[in-house]
Amino acid sequence: DVKVTQSSRYLVKRTGEKVFLECVQDMDHENMFWYRQDPGLGLRLIYFSYDVKMKEKGDIPEGYSVSREKKERFSLILESASTNQTSMYLCASSFLYGQGDTEAFFGQGTRLTVV
Amino acid sequence: AQKITQTQPGMFVQEKEAVTLDCTYDTSDQSYGLFWYKQPSSGEMIFLIYQGSYDEQNATEGRYSLNFQKARKSANLVISASQLGDSAMYFCAMRGLQKLVFGTGTRLLVSP
């Protein structure tokens, strides 16, 4: 079974803190994605990566950065957390499009609250 | 740019009836894939069905079928014989090259 694991289910951080959200997958997927999910807004893509050390901005990258030092791990970094970053964060992984099964597999989500 | 539009925030259906969830998309890519995911109240994202842009036949997976109309850029999900367990959020998604984008979702409620 494909497993995508996010390091925390729930997280509470203070405004201005640097926050790390970790995601690990065990299927040797090239692609990894970070989304935030807010009611009425669906899933919005923050960043994605298609290879180690490669990253691409999604639709809402402001206030976030990412790191992919190893193929299996993709970290989302909030440099200075703000209350408007309170949200559910979802990590996903998949093979490169057109190579093998194309669907993305998701982690269980991290509900981040910034106070 | 890729964009997915789901215009139905909520849908109601009675058990055993069929329901169609709408999805339209926009992309300049020639090759792309369309996906539907289900998110129950537990929060997990469950992959339901996939349609490739070059697939000539509509995809089917059990009670799920994808009504793919390329010229209209629509990829509607049809659930036949709805069950109470189908109550959930449903997301349409598209990927071209490596980016994967989602719509805002439709909340489906199945009543007895």
Side-chain angles (χ1 to χ4, degrees), chain B residues 45-99:
Chain B
M45 291 287 284
I46 301 167
F47 165 71
L48 295 177
I49 195 165
Y50 162 78
Q51 178 87 40
S53 59
Y54 291 116
D55 294 342
E56 294 185 353
Q57 303 240 341
N58 285 345
T60 59
E61 287 287 347
R63 293 184 300 110
Y64 304 109
S65 60
L66 200 152
N67 184 359
F68 180 47
Q69 298 190 38
K70 196 169 181 177
R72 291 186 174 185
K73 293 192 174 180
S74 76
N76 298 340
L77 177 71
V78 180
I79 306 175
S80 62
S82 297
Q83 301 172 356
L84 296 178
D86 294 334
S87 292
M89 281 290 289
Y90 288 80
F91 292 99
C92 180
M94 175 177 66
R95 69 184 303 183
L97 293 178
Q98 306 311 330
K99 193 175 181 180

Side-chain angles (χ1 to χ4, degrees), chain B residues 9-42:
Chain B
M11 290 285 284
F12 291 89
V13 67
Q14 280 205 305
E15 211 176 356
K16 297 188 179 69
E17 289 186 352
V19 63
T20 298
L21 306 184
D22 294 341
C23 173
T24 57
Y25 62 91
D26 193 21
T27 182
S28 54
D29 292 329
Q30 294 300 308
S31 176
Y32 51 89
L34 296 153
F35 304 79
W36 278 91
Y37 283 82
K38 172 184 178 181
Q39 188 181 47
S41 56
S42 57

